[in-house]
Amino acid sequence: MIRLVSLLTALCFALPAIADTTAIVGGKVHTVGPNGTLDKATIIISDGRITAVGDGVRVPRDATVIDATGKIVTPGLFSPIGRLGLVEVSSSAGPVDSSQFGDKFTAGFDVADAYNPRSTLIPVQRIEGITRAAIAPAPGFGDDASGHVLSGLAAIVNLGDDRPLDKRGAAMVVTLGEGGSHFAGGSRSAAWLVFRNALNEAIDYRDHKGDFERGMRRDYEHSIADLEALQGVISGEVPLLVNIDRASDLEVLVAFVEEYRLAAIVVGGAEAWMLADKLAQADIAVILSVTSNLPGNFDRLNAKRGAANILAAAGVRFALSDRQSQSHNARNITQTAGNAVADGLEWDAALRSITLTPAEMYGLDNSVGSIEVGKAADIVIWPADPFELTSYADQVLINGVAVPMESRQTLLRDRYLQMDSEKPPAYRDR
């Protein structure tokens, strides 16, 4: 006999794990895959993987069934860049583990080992649909030291597994343009030279690695750890995450990508719409903030609303992320997507930009990003359009596990809503 568990029951008990086989039935499923959108479809999950999806799929006799009738079902959301698990309170006395300082370790600076899966920020994002996230280093600013043009290696994590690290060394972070000039003597030209020198040293190190094995040292500005980290970049296997906005800098980046045969992802790209065709031809992706339409500096003079539409029309791969909420409020990417739709982007394209496209950028699209057979069961069930401001996820599954739908924020909310208690709030039940 099939054990029927309603969605409401799943929410009330917030089980940390589910049965080996689970069926989500009756929902409108946006697969973001070849099957498109399916009305009243069934998804079968076994051992954390999707084993079937479609209309008329038979539910196994021993399956736990989640009734999603009248609900919207989407893949888990993928935050394309941020510092989740690397910082709690940015202005606190504790360390911000994403900050890279000095020039002893630059490209080799790896944030993966600093990731804290128990961060209080994780459940806050998770219960609103974020299931995967890119965590990235950034150049630090300080009174005694500052960062470098090369900030180091990003990683991909999942927000619900006991093995949270999905991919180490997923991208190399580089800051160029006006931002990079601060770490290269005040000139953007110098920042490009620092970057070029790093690439050339990495190539020379690759071509003369035997000299090191024989004890013959070569004079490099960068450490061996940095040059080792850059090997994936010069081979084209590890994409660059390039913080850049101005159109003229983007033109230089296109030339670098062609000269060194690099893979690149632009972060920011306020003026990327001006070079949409060139970026598409060079296969340079963009992580775009669609609401950053004000000239915050001279590199963003031509920022505009509707930039995502232009990139989409040109065939540029793009993901969406709000500049101001990449960590503590990574969940706001649904609002960012909603704003893109309001500016004319197709709804399905907006959903893809926060699910499958980020997975493609980091080479994980074979395992996450869409609801397809064989992929990890990262699934979110919504009561209404997830891009609406008042829509909150009913249930989130990561690798097939229904995660507890609570966070520090919801616990505090519930404590202070106990209006009939005579106890002070600090002594009330959770």
Side-chain angles (χ1 to χ4, degrees):
M1 178 178 180
I2 295 175
R3 293 175 291 138
L4 181 59
V5 179
S6 69
L7 178 61
L8 180 60
T9 304
L11 292 173
C12 291
F13 289 100
L15 296 175
I18 56 177
D20 288 342
T21 300
T22 301
I24 301 173
V25 302
K28 184 176 183 179
V29 179
H30 296 270
T31 68
V32 195
N35 288 330
T37 301
L38 304 172
D39 289 318
K40 299 180 180 179
T42 296
I43 304 169
I44 306 297
I45 301 166
S46 182
D47 296 326
R49 294 278 168 179
I50 298 168
T51 58
V53 56
D55 299 321
V57 172
R58 187 182 67 84
V59 177
R61 292 177 59 84
D62 61 344
T64 293
V65 177
I66 297 177
D67 185 2
T69 301
K71 309 289 184 178
I72 292 176
V73 182
T74 70
L77 309 182
F78 197 131
S79 174
I81 189 168
R83 300 182 296 165
L84 275 175
L86 301 176
V87 59
E88 289 291 336
V89 180
S90 299
S91 59
S92 73
V96 177
D97 290 316
S98 60
S99 296
Q100 180 276 327
F101 285 95
D103 56 11
K104 183 176 181 181
F105 297 108
T106 58
F109 182 72
D110 189 346
V111 298
D113 292 327
Y115 177 69
N116 176 20
R118 298 169 186 83
S119 166
T120 58
L121 300 183
I122 302 300
V124 174
Q125 318 310 319
R126 183 172 62 198
I127 64 174
E128 294 198 35
I130 304 291
T131 59
R132 309 275 161 165
I135 56 170
F141 292 88
D143 296 333
D144 300 324
S146 64
H148 194 272
V149 169
L150 295 166
S151 297
L153 294 163
I156 309 299
V157 296
N158 70 74
L159 275 58
D161 200 276
D162 57 358
R163 292 172 293 180
L165 186 61
D166 288 336
K167 188 173 185 179
R168 183 187 291 270
M172 177 68 66
V173 178
V174 183
T175 304
L176 296 164
E178 180 178 344
S181 71
H182 296 302
F183 312 112
S187 168
R188 71 184 68 228
S189 295
W192 284 108
L193 284 172
V194 170
F195 181 43
R196 180 181 290 278
N197 181 56
L199 293 176
N200 289 339
E201 287 191 350
I203 292 170
D204 186 82
Y205 173 72
R206 178 198 64 193
D207 294 343
H208 298 89
K209 203 168 183 179
D211 293 349
F212 287 86
E213 295 173 353
R214 292 188 295 270
M216 300 170 61
R217 307 288 294 181
R218 297 175 73 85
D219 187 19
Y220 292 132
E221 182 177 337
H222 295 84
S223 70
I224 299 304
D226 295 334
L227 298 179
E228 286 283 0
L230 284 166
Q231 295 307 300
V233 173
I234 61 175
S235 70
E237 296 175 0
V238 176
L240 296 166
L241 270 176
V242 187
N243 292 285
I244 200 170
D245 281 301
R246 199 168 78 172
S248 61
D249 289 320
L250 289 164
E251 288 177 319
V252 179
L253 177 63
V254 170
F256 263 71
V257 165
E258 293 176 348
E259 178 183 354
Y260 289 94
R261 299 182 180 180
L262 308 173
I265 303 166
V266 170
V267 180
E271 296 187 352
W273 63 272
M274 301 173 68
L275 297 172
D277 290 337
K278 290 184 178 180
L279 294 175
Q281 185 175 1
D283 195 23
I284 296 176
V286 179
I287 298 175
L288 183 69
S289 177
V290 297
T291 56
S292 295
N293 65 319
L294 296 177
N297 57 35
F298 286 107
D299 281 16
R300 290 188 243 164
L301 288 177
N302 293 295
K304 65 177 292 182
R305 296 291 291 266
N309 308 344
I310 299 173
L311 296 180
V316 178
R317 290 182 299 142
F318 65 92
L320 299 181
S321 177
D322 189 331
R323 285 180 186 268
Q324 305 303 319
S325 56
Q326 293 177 350
S327 299
H328 293 74
N329 286 302
R331 56 189 174 170
N332 285 351
I333 59 174
T334 53
Q335 298 177 29
T336 300
N339 278 295
V341 172
D343 288 337
L345 186 67
E346 292 185 1
W347 195 95
D348 289 340
L351 180 61
R352 194 185 201 283
S353 72
I354 58 175
T355 53
L356 184 57
T357 300
E360 289 175 342
M361 290 179 175
Y362 297 110
L364 293 172
D365 51 302
N366 287 331
S367 58
V368 298
S370 59
I371 300 176
E372 297 182 60
V373 172
K375 289 193 174 184
D378 287 8
I379 295 172
V380 187
I381 303 172
W382 308 86
D385 186 344
F387 299 162
E388 290 293 336
L389 190 63
T390 55
S391 289
Y392 300 93
D394 280 343
Q395 185 62 64
V396 178
L397 291 83
I398 303 177
N399 290 325
V401 176
V403 303
M405 297 299 288
E406 66 177 23
S407 68
R408 178 174 173 80
Q409 293 180 353
T410 65
L411 294 174
L412 289 171
R413 175 203 65 193
D414 295 343
R415 171 179 287 181
Y416 284 89
L417 282 176
Q418 296 180 47
M419 305 300 293
D420 57 348
S421 174
E422 296 180 356
K423 296 180 180 180
Y427 295 93
R428 296 174 189 168
D429 295 334
R430 289 182 22 166

